[in-house]
Amino acid sequence: AQTVTQSQPEMSVQEAETVTLSCTYDTSESDYYLFWYKQPPSRQMILVIRQEAYKQQNATENRFSVNFQKAAKSFSLKISDSQLGDAAMYFCAYRIWDSNYQLIWGAGTKLIIKP
Amino acid sequence: GAVVSQHPSWVICKSGTSVKIECRSLDFQATTMFWYRQFPKQSLMLMATSNEGSKATYEQGVEKDKFLINHASLTLSTLTVTSAHPEDSSFYICSAPGLGAEAFFGQGTRLTVV
């Protein structure tokens, strides 16, 4: 069975600095999607970034980028120039390529931004 | 992008009563809807998967008779918490897959049973 592990329950970073959130996963599949979702205090889930496993290039969305290491089954999220609005719970999620879109979720990392 | 509208956003009910939560896909057809429960400071826990026109598939440990799921149309899925008790108080989220790889989430429902 697929599993997703986020080993950092909480992280803090100074505003404008860079922070990296860790995520590892376990699967025997070769094709899949990986996601980072943000859940701010409003609790609305927001997609931050996604990565297709067949792509070697790391995904980037403005200040957010990932370090995808397929062999190591690692998928970390780097947030550059941290802003107060980045404060939220961040969840790493895995989706099998040909499934009915069911996601396997990590436990989440609470990100605190220090002004 | 695609929108999933979830209502109500919060509800308080008396113990023993039933509460219905609705999730509508506003600009796309959702043949599948996932229902999650989220405890404070925890991750999303999948409760069940509903498919339009068929019975929902429940995860192990989720009481089918307590959490009734109906997915009668391609744009509406409902979760009814029957005979609610204080331990059912939680945050409930629905999610539907889009045409691409990502999922679309409702705003969530905070249920408090008193």
Side-chain angles (χ1 to χ4, degrees):
Chain A
Q2 296 84 5
T3 59
V4 177
T5 301
Q6 293 179 251
S7 58
Q8 305 156 316
E10 186 175 297
M11 292 283 286
S12 63
V13 63
Q14 205 72 34
E15 192 176 4
E17 298 294 311
T18 296
V19 64
T20 298
L21 308 184
S22 301
C23 173
T24 59
Y25 59 95
D26 189 24
T27 183
S28 59
E29 303 288 331
S30 58
D31 292 321
Y32 47 87
Y33 287 99
L34 293 165
F35 303 89
W36 278 98
Y37 279 92
K38 169 185 177 180
Q39 189 179 40
S42 68
R43 304 190 78 170
Q44 172 72 57
M45 297 294 287
I46 301 168
L47 177 65
V48 175
I49 200 165
R50 79 177 197 190
Q51 176 81 44
E52 290 89 338
Y54 71 87
K55 291 185 176 179
Q56 293 185 336
Q57 187 172 6
N58 290 323
T60 299
E61 288 289 340
N62 300 314
R63 298 183 294 107
F64 299 88
S65 61
V66 298
N67 183 2
F68 173 49
Q69 301 291 328
K70 190 173 184 179
K73 297 180 182 176
S74 172
F75 182 60
S76 61
L77 174 69
K78 185 172 81 171
I79 305 174
S80 304
D81 185 25
S82 297
Q83 301 176 0
L84 293 178
D86 295 333
M89 284 291 292
Y90 286 81
F91 294 98
C92 179
Y94 167 103
R95 202 216 88 181
I96 305 172
W97 187 267
D98 59 352
S99 76
N100 61 354
Y101 293 78
Q102 181 177 336
L103 294 170
I104 310 298
W105 296 89
T109 297
K110 181 180 181 180
L111 179 63
I112 298 169
I113 310 295
K114 298 177 181 178
Chain B
V3 175
V4 174
S5 179
Q6 182 173 348
H7 292 280
S9 57
W10 62 272
V11 58
I12 301 174
C13 71
K14 290 185 177 181
S15 186
T17 62
S18 296
V19 173
K20 179 183 285 187
I21 301 170
E22 292 188 349
C23 276
R24 296 181 182 273
S25 54
L26 298 185
D27 51 1
F28 69 105
Q29 294 182 330
T31 56
T32 300
M33 190 73 76
F34 298 107
W35 287 93
Y36 295 95
R37 183 172 181 175
Q38 187 181 30
F39 293 101
K41 301 182 181 181
Q42 293 189 23
S43 188
L44 280 67
M45 180 184 74
L46 182 65
M47 298 174 63
T49 304
S50 72
N51 291 289
E52 186 268 338
S54 62
K55 290 185 177 181
T57 302
Y58 290 82
E59 296 300 302
Q60 190 173 6
V62 177
E63 298 178 61
K64 300 178 182 181
D65 295 333
K66 167 167 277 296
F67 300 100
L68 299 179
I69 292 174
N70 184 277
H71 196 150
S73 78
L74 290 172
T75 59
L76 175 64
S77 178
T78 62
L79 166 67
T80 301
V81 183
T82 62
S83 187
H85 288 91
E87 58 265 31
D88 298 324
S89 298
S90 192
F91 191 71
Y92 295 88
I93 306 174
C94 63
S95 172
L99 292 177
E102 69 177 281
F104 300 100
F105 292 84
Q107 301 93 321
T109 297
R110 185 185 304 276
L111 170 63
T112 301
V113 184
V114 297

